[in-house]
Amino acid sequence: MRMPVTLTAGKYTSLRRLADANGRFKMVAIDQRPPLFELVTDKTGASPAAYEHVAAIKSLVTETLSPHGSAMLLDPIWGYSSCIGHVGAARGILLTDEDHAFTQTPGGRLSREIPHWSVAKIKRLGADGVKLLAWYRPDAHETVRRHQQALVEKVGRDCVEHDLTFLLELLVYAFPGEDGQTGDYVEQAAKRPEQVLESVRHFTDPRFNVDIFKLESPVAAAAVPEPGSPASSECQQWFDELGRIATRPWVMLSAGADMVTFRRVLQYAYRAGASGYLAGRAIWQPAVRLFPDTDAIRNRLMTEAVPYMQSLNLLTDEQASAWFDHRCFGGQQPLIAAAGPEFHRLYGAP
């Protein structure tokens, strides 16, 4: 019988702060970079996109939406400085660690950390967790797979050292020459569910030290059928298998899906055991397309994004699983490593 997972004190505390009081994740991502760069460039005609424009969009989104979520995901360049003042003290903070630029090789994509940025800096500024996006194809060249695995292992090890929650995001993608090949952060419409599932399976090894998985729909979001329809049973099986494979609590990403589609995806994910969402563009993208009219952006955020997010939160309350109910904890509240009279001596000891 597998022993329940224990949590170090820092990871336990940060997981609690990222979730709501009932253990469900309602997290808003505003760490997106290329989609906002493209938007600003298209509207202003200036390339590269001006820092102040990108930062202003992120600030406005954070100010409007953070009161309705359990946590915000920020990037350290365009996001943190402009947004942190709008994040209430009761909200959790995630910082992204991966550079938005990746290296495209014939055998697959190579990710890297943001230059001059680290888990140590994320810990030092007081964040609750680290998010890393790793592009991953189980059929990529062996050297590419090794590189991606080494990066994840390194960041996971750093999170252990600094006792921070490690949230790993995985995305499959199209190889050069395949349909849908792009450098943008868009879902691969022709992805195969088996690739999504196998990618997750690769990172369930304890050596990666993942605390939360941020996962994409195993079925292309636009192809996810209406729950209760004749095709829903087969689709649910793919989500159920995703939940079975995930050895830690998991949340759904939106990958740019529209509002209706993402809500549909969440219904399948919650039936499969997901503990919430970490989404961005599905919530705020229609509003920010109104750039540079900041008044129009704010108005649409308030009249469309906030009610939509409230509807997602209600769905999450009703159907998602609390993170501490995940089977990895043995059906009980997580055990704190070194708990007891010697905690003060054992905590943090090598």
Side-chain angles (χ1 to χ4, degrees):
M1 182 176 178
R2 182 177 296 176
M3 295 296 293
V5 170
T6 60
L7 288 172
T8 56
K11 286 179 179 282
Y12 177 67
T13 299
S14 59
L15 277 163
R16 292 182 68 194
R17 280 188 47 79
L18 292 170
D20 69 10
N22 296 313
R24 292 167 177 86
F25 299 109
K26 302 164 180 174
M27 302 184 287
V28 179
I30 192 62
D31 69 322
Q32 291 82 353
R33 287 149 285 175
L36 294 180
F37 299 160
E38 293 166 11
L39 171 69
V40 171
T41 295
D42 287 346
K43 293 297 186 73
T44 65
S47 182
Y51 176 93
E52 58 268 24
H53 290 325
V54 177
I57 293 172
K58 289 173 178 278
S59 176
L60 187 54
V61 169
T62 301
E63 180 182 9
T64 310
L65 299 184
S66 64
H68 305 281
S70 64
M72 294 295 299
L73 169 60
L74 310 173
D75 73 274
I77 301 175
W78 296 267
Y80 181 81
S81 300
S82 61
C83 297
I84 190 60
H86 298 305
V87 182
R91 300 292 179 262
I93 295 290
L94 281 168
L95 266 293
T96 195
D97 190 48
E98 86 280 349
D99 195 346
H100 63 275
F102 55 83
T103 301
Q104 181 73 67
T105 75
R109 295 179 180 180
L110 303 175
S111 303
R112 66 172 184 171
E113 292 182 275
I114 296 170
H116 312 295
W117 188 239
S118 65
V119 172
K121 288 187 176 183
I122 294 173
K123 173 69 172 183
R124 186 174 182 177
L125 62 74
D128 300 295
V130 177
K131 170 255 180 179
L132 177 75
L133 162 62
W135 297 100
Y136 200 80
R137 284 274 298 254
D139 56 344
H141 192 278
E142 182 179 0
T143 58
V144 172
R145 297 198 310 271
R146 286 180 178 175
H147 177 278
Q148 297 299 83
Q149 291 172 10
L151 173 63
V152 174
E153 187 170 4
K154 187 263 183 190
V155 174
R157 186 169 58 246
D158 290 347
C159 287
V160 169
E161 178 183 353
H162 295 284
D163 212 5
L164 281 175
T165 289
F166 177 33
L167 184 148
L168 175 64
E169 176 180 2
L170 295 169
L171 286 176
V172 299
Y173 57 95
F175 288 148
E178 290 184 338
D179 288 343
Q181 199 283 324
T182 175
D184 294 335
Y185 283 48
V186 295
E187 182 183 43
Q188 183 190 9
K191 67 184 177 183
R192 302 201 311 272
E194 297 88 349
Q195 289 186 339
V196 175
L197 299 176
E198 188 61 24
S199 295
V200 178
R201 187 178 284 110
H202 281 198
F203 292 97
T204 58
D205 190 302
R207 70 188 172 98
F208 295 111
N209 292 292
V210 176
D211 298 302
I212 307 173
F213 284 103
K214 179 185 178 187
L215 303 178
E216 63 181 314
S217 170
V219 177
V224 171
E226 191 68 32
S229 67
S232 63
S233 177
E234 180 181 355
C235 183
Q236 188 64 59
Q237 290 177 17
W238 288 117
F239 277 88
D240 290 346
E241 183 65 7
L242 188 67
R244 189 192 68 78
I245 291 171
T247 53
R248 293 293 185 274
W250 55 290
V251 297
M252 289 305 298
L253 58 87
S254 60
D258 63 38
M259 290 180 170
V260 173
T261 300
F262 183 55
R263 181 183 173 85
R264 188 183 305 139
V265 166
L266 283 182
Q267 292 178 69
Y268 285 90
Y270 290 163
R271 291 191 185 101
S275 292
Y277 62 85
L278 175 48
R281 286 174 289 167
I283 300 172
W284 48 253
Q285 184 164 252
V288 303
R289 283 175 177 157
L290 300 174
F291 173 85
D293 188 337
T294 56
D295 289 339
I297 294 175
R298 187 186 302 276
N299 181 66
R300 190 155 183 180
L301 286 171
M302 291 297 299
T303 60
E304 182 177 79
V306 169
Y308 175 69
M309 194 170 166
Q310 290 171 334
S311 75
L312 294 186
N313 290 347
L314 180 60
L315 179 69
T316 302
D317 290 337
E318 293 174 344
Q319 299 185 19
S321 301
W323 68 264
F324 46 73
D325 286 337
H326 191 275
R327 67 182 183 278
C328 70
F329 301 117
Q332 59 190 11
Q333 280 287 331
L335 302 174
I336 306 302
E342 291 297 300
F343 175 77
H344 65 293
R345 180 176 66 85
L346 296 175
Y347 175 68

